[in-house]
Protein backbone atom coordinates (compact mmCIF):
# COMPACT_ATOMS: atom_id res chain seq x y z
CA UNK A 1 0.00 0.00 0.00
CA UNK A 2 1.13 3.56 -0.69
CA UNK A 3 0.28 6.65 1.31
CA UNK A 4 0.62 10.34 0.49
CA UNK A 5 2.92 12.37 2.76
CA UNK A 6 4.07 15.97 2.93
CA UNK A 7 7.19 16.29 0.75
CA UNK A 8 7.94 20.02 0.73
CA UNK A 9 6.65 23.13 2.46
CA UNK A 10 7.28 26.84 2.15
CA UNK A 11 5.72 28.06 5.38
CA UNK A 12 4.17 31.54 5.40
CA UNK A 13 5.51 33.17 2.25
CA UNK A 14 4.27 36.62 1.30
CA UNK A 15 2.53 36.97 -2.08
CA UNK A 16 4.41 39.65 -4.00
CA UNK A 17 2.08 39.91 -7.02
CA UNK A 18 -0.90 38.43 -8.83
CA UNK A 19 -1.33 38.24 -12.59
CA UNK A 20 -4.78 37.34 -13.90
CA UNK A 21 -3.72 37.50 -17.57
CA UNK A 22 -1.36 34.55 -17.45
CA UNK A 23 -1.91 30.96 -18.46
CA UNK A 24 -1.73 29.68 -14.89
CA UNK A 25 0.57 28.50 -12.12
CA UNK A 26 2.51 30.14 -9.30
CA UNK A 27 5.87 31.80 -10.00
CA UNK A 28 8.26 31.22 -7.10
CA UNK A 29 11.79 32.52 -6.58
CA UNK A 30 14.00 29.67 -7.82
CA UNK A 31 16.03 29.89 -4.59
CA UNK A 32 12.88 29.11 -2.58
CA UNK A 33 12.05 26.22 -4.90
CA UNK A 34 15.52 24.74 -4.59
CA UNK A 35 15.63 25.15 -0.81
CA UNK A 36 12.20 23.56 -0.39
CA UNK A 37 12.87 20.67 -2.79
CA UNK A 38 10.00 21.66 -5.11
CA UNK A 39 10.88 21.03 -8.75
CA UNK A 40 9.69 23.17 -11.68
CA UNK A 41 6.19 22.21 -12.84
CA UNK A 42 5.51 20.14 -9.73
CA UNK A 43 1.92 20.21 -8.48
CA UNK A 44 1.56 22.36 -5.38
CA UNK A 45 -1.23 23.36 -3.05
CA UNK A 46 -1.51 27.01 -2.04
CA UNK A 47 -3.07 27.49 1.40
CA UNK A 48 -4.00 31.13 1.91
CA UNK A 49 -3.53 31.95 5.60
CA UNK A 50 -4.98 35.44 5.11
CA UNK A 51 -8.40 34.48 3.71
CA UNK A 52 -8.66 30.68 4.01
CA UNK A 53 -8.76 29.93 0.27
CA UNK A 54 -7.03 26.78 -0.95
CA UNK A 55 -6.04 25.94 -4.50
CA UNK A 56 -3.97 23.56 -6.60
CA UNK A 57 -1.61 24.61 -9.37
CA UNK A 58 1.97 23.99 -10.45
CA UNK A 59 5.19 25.81 -9.60
CA UNK A 60 7.34 27.63 -12.12
CA UNK A 61 10.74 29.11 -11.26
CA UNK A 62 11.22 32.88 -11.15
CA UNK A 63 14.58 34.61 -11.34
CA UNK A 64 13.20 37.56 -9.37
CA UNK A 65 14.45 37.49 -5.78
CA UNK A 66 11.64 36.87 -3.29
CA UNK A 67 8.98 36.51 -5.98
CA UNK A 68 5.78 34.62 -5.18
CA UNK A 69 3.27 35.52 -7.90
CA UNK A 70 -0.12 33.82 -8.23
CA UNK A 71 -1.03 33.59 -11.93
CA UNK A 72 -4.15 32.94 -13.96
CA UNK A 73 -7.59 32.20 -12.53
CA UNK A 74 -6.08 31.59 -9.08
CA UNK A 75 -5.35 35.33 -8.91
CA UNK A 76 -9.05 35.74 -8.04
CA UNK A 77 -8.42 33.81 -4.79
CA UNK A 78 -5.25 35.52 -3.56
CA UNK A 79 -4.20 39.15 -3.13
CA UNK A 80 -0.78 40.78 -3.04
CA UNK A 81 0.61 40.71 0.53
CA UNK A 82 -1.48 37.67 1.51
CA UNK A 83 0.40 35.08 3.57
CA UNK A 84 0.42 31.61 2.00
CA UNK A 85 1.72 28.15 2.74
CA UNK A 86 2.92 26.26 -0.35
CA UNK A 87 3.04 22.47 -0.06
CA UNK A 88 3.68 19.43 -2.21
CA UNK A 89 3.15 15.76 -1.46
CA UNK A 90 4.76 12.45 -2.44
CA UNK A 91 3.45 8.90 -2.53
CA UNK A 92 5.49 6.22 -0.83
CA UNK A 93 5.12 2.96 0.96
CA UNK A 94 4.25 3.00 4.64
CA UNK A 95 7.68 1.50 5.34
CA UNK A 96 9.44 4.37 3.55
CA UNK A 97 7.10 6.92 5.09
CA UNK A 98 8.02 5.96 8.64
CA UNK A 99 11.53 7.39 8.25
CA UNK A 100 10.82 10.10 5.64
CA UNK A 101 11.39 13.72 6.64
CA UNK A 102 9.85 16.53 4.54
CA UNK A 103 11.79 19.64 3.56
CA UNK A 104 10.30 22.69 5.29
CA UNK A 105 11.55 26.25 4.93
CA UNK A 106 10.49 29.38 6.79
CA UNK A 107 10.95 32.55 4.72
CA UNK A 108 10.81 35.99 6.32
CA UNK A 109 8.46 38.81 5.22
CA UNK A 110 10.71 39.47 2.19
CA UNK A 111 10.62 35.76 1.23
CA UNK A 112 14.24 35.30 2.23
CA UNK A 113 15.19 32.05 3.89
Amino acid sequence: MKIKLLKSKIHRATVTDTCLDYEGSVSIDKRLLEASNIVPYEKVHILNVTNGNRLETYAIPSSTKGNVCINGAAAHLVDTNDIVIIVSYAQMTIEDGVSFKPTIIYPNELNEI
Side-chain angles (χ1 to χ4, degrees):
M1 174 185 347
K2 291 197 174 193
I3 57 173
K4 194 177 285 190
L5 297 172
L6 177 69
K7 176 185 136 308
S8 303
K9 180 177 178 181
I10 302 173
H11 188 74
R12 297 182 66 91
T14 302
V15 175
T16 57
D17 198 9
T18 61
C19 182
L20 185 59
D21 297 319
Y22 190 84
E23 63 187 64
S25 70
V26 55
S27 304
I28 303 172
D29 178 342
K30 63 185 177 184
R31 290 164 283 272
L32 293 174
L33 288 181
E34 290 169 6
S36 65
N37 196 29
I38 296 173
V39 300
Y41 308 104
E42 182 174 352
K43 180 180 180 177
V44 294
H45 291 198
I46 309 291
L47 317 174
N48 191 324
V49 175
T50 304
N51 67 23
N53 285 328
R54 300 168 71 96
L55 61 106
E56 294 179 349
T57 189
Y58 59 95
I60 58 173
S62 171
S63 58
T64 303
K65 185 176 181 183
N67 188 44
V68 175
C69 180
I70 309 297
N71 300 309
H76 287 291
L77 302 174
V78 180
D79 292 317
T80 300
N81 296 318
D82 280 1
I83 302 300
V84 295
I85 299 169
I86 302 167
V87 295
S88 70
Y89 301 93
Q91 285 190 331
M92 59 190 74
T93 64
I94 292 173
E95 295 77 21
D96 289 338
V98 169
S99 61
F100 179 78
K101 300 290 183 228
T103 303
I104 302 173
I105 63 168
Y106 300 90
N108 65 16
E109 62 279 351
L110 299 175
N111 292 333
E112 300 168 327
I113 301 167

